[in-house]
Every structure is written in C-alpha cells, then in structure tokens.
Amino acid sequence: MIIITGVGMSSKVNIISNAVCMLGHAPIVSLTNQDSMITAAEQSFDMLLPAILSQNNWRFATQIQQLSESIEVPPDPWKTIYLLPAGWLKTIRVYPNIYTWDIYENSKIYAQFQGEWFMEYIFVPDISKLPAHFTYYFTFEIAAYLALSTAQQSAYFSVIESKRVTAYAMCAAVEAQNRPNFSQVTFPVLNNRQLGTIIGNSVSS
C-alpha cells in the first residue's frame, strides 16, 4: 500500500519504505542496520532525486537568487564571472534576461554583462517539503529502479513502470495547474508571438 503524505510530512524513510513494499519487502521505520535492498534503495534515492528534479521545471524545487560576482578576471570576450548558487541543478532563466552567457566548471557563469544579476534555478529542496503529488510519483521511480537493479523482480517491473508513467503524468498535471496561464516575464523574440489563433506569452493590457 502506498501512503500519500502531504506537504511537510514526507521523509526519506517513508518514501523508501513505500518503494520497497511494492517489491515485497517489509515496511521500515529506519535506514540504519538494514539489509542490502534498503541500502540500495537509499543510494538510488540519493542518485535519482537530483536527476529527476533536473528533468523538469518543478515549482516546488525552484527559487530565485542574486548571483555573487567573482573577483576572478574573465578572458575575452567575457566581462564578468558570477558564481552559481549552492545546490544549483539547472538554470530556468536569468534576470535581466540576456543571451550572452555560458557555464563553466559546473560552478561559474561567464557573461557579457555587468551589474546585479538574478537566476531562477532548480535545486534539491528539504525532503519534508516535497509535495504529495511528487512524493507519490517518486516512490514509483525508486521501485522501478530497484525492480531490475537489486530486487531482480522483472515480473514486477512492467506493472510498476506502467504506474510510474501514469504517476508522472498526474504529477506534471498538478504542477501545471499551479501555474498562471501566461508568462509573468517578458522575453525578447518570444514576446507577442502568435501561434495560430493563440497569443503565446503576451497579455493584453
């Protein structure tokens, strides 16, 4: 049985417990002194969570932060080096929105820009703050991974994989419902672009 918890109630233990229960393992209340399946489940949790968060623009895992400027002198043609935020996984957009920048060493962002600069990006939030719709979906991700890698329950995999795909679709739908219909940010080129009879990012004043 899958236990769907609300925001602020998720924990690494209950997510892993629900995942291994789908593979026939008994529920757990702790990650210490456990068998090989629980060890593998904990390792897969740590590997899969940042990878999956990076694959979508999850709003619960999004934040905006002013970038710190490095004292390092950049090579031409760059004007400034900024430091990526701690815990950064993926960039969504920058403010002001410019197009002449690039990321190096997975820690620095070189730009042809000088001044205060902000980044909207994906990070790994506190596990207790994961929303219920993502917790439910992520449980299937761990179970599907373990079904072939550790538990070797190939007969379970097709069923779990089918449920994983459905859970992802439902999770993405909930995320979309929590967003405004129109972009709150103006982008050059994309702004006022008309697709058929639908106006893309523009909002009539």
Side-chain angles (χ1 to χ4, degrees):
M1 179 179 67
I2 305 298
I3 302 171
I4 305 179
T5 56
V7 177
M9 296 176 60
S10 302
S11 73
K12 189 174 185 178
V13 173
N14 67 35
I15 292 172
I16 288 176
S17 181
N18 285 324
V20 297
C21 280
M22 283 192 276
L23 300 172
H25 194 286
I28 63 169
V29 294
S30 171
L31 295 174
T32 59
N33 300 320
Q34 292 291 348
D35 57 30
S36 59
M37 182 180 288
I38 302 304
T39 299
E42 184 175 9
Q43 292 173 348
S44 65
F45 182 106
D46 294 339
M47 177 189 68
L48 291 172
L49 183 58
I52 289 170
L53 290 176
S54 300
Q55 293 171 8
N56 205 334
N57 294 346
W58 307 104
R59 298 312 300 172
F60 62 85
T62 303
Q63 62 183 14
I64 299 176
Q65 183 174 316
Q66 183 174 350
L67 299 178
S68 298
E69 185 176 336
S70 172
I71 61 173
E72 185 179 350
V73 178
D76 290 333
W78 308 112
K79 294 181 179 179
T80 317
I81 298 177
Y82 295 87
L83 302 178
L84 288 173
W88 170 89
L89 293 177
K90 182 182 74 169
T91 303
I92 296 178
R93 58 178 65 93
V94 291
Y95 310 91
N97 187 51
I98 64 172
Y99 298 96
T100 50
W101 58 269
D102 214 338
I103 293 173
Y104 293 88
E105 302 176 34
N106 211 39
S107 63
K108 304 173 184 178
I109 179 167
Y110 288 49
Q112 291 184 0
F113 170 82
Q114 291 177 310
E116 291 188 349
W117 207 23
F118 295 79
M119 175 180 285
E120 183 175 350
Y121 64 98
I122 297 295
F123 74 109
V124 178
D126 188 294
I127 304 303
S128 66
K129 295 182 180 180
L130 292 176
H133 57 276
F134 182 82
T135 298
Y136 178 74
Y137 151 63
F138 187 56
T139 301
F140 285 103
E141 283 284 359
I142 296 174
Y145 182 84
L146 293 174
L148 295 180
S149 66
T150 302
Q152 297 181 352
Q153 297 282 10
S154 57
Y156 290 15
F157 177 77
S158 59
V159 176
I160 293 174
E161 176 64 10
S162 175
K163 290 183 176 293
R164 184 198 67 81
V165 172
T166 301
Y168 174 79
M170 295 174 62
C171 183
V174 172
E175 281 287 295
Q177 290 169 3
N178 290 328
R179 303 298 310 282
N181 290 329
F182 296 97
S183 173
Q184 301 178 65
V185 181
T186 299
F187 295 99
V189 182
L190 297 181
N191 198 42
N192 297 324
R193 182 178 61 180
Q194 185 169 351
L195 303 176
T197 58
I198 300 175
I199 301 297
N201 289 321
S202 63
V203 181
S204 300
S205 56

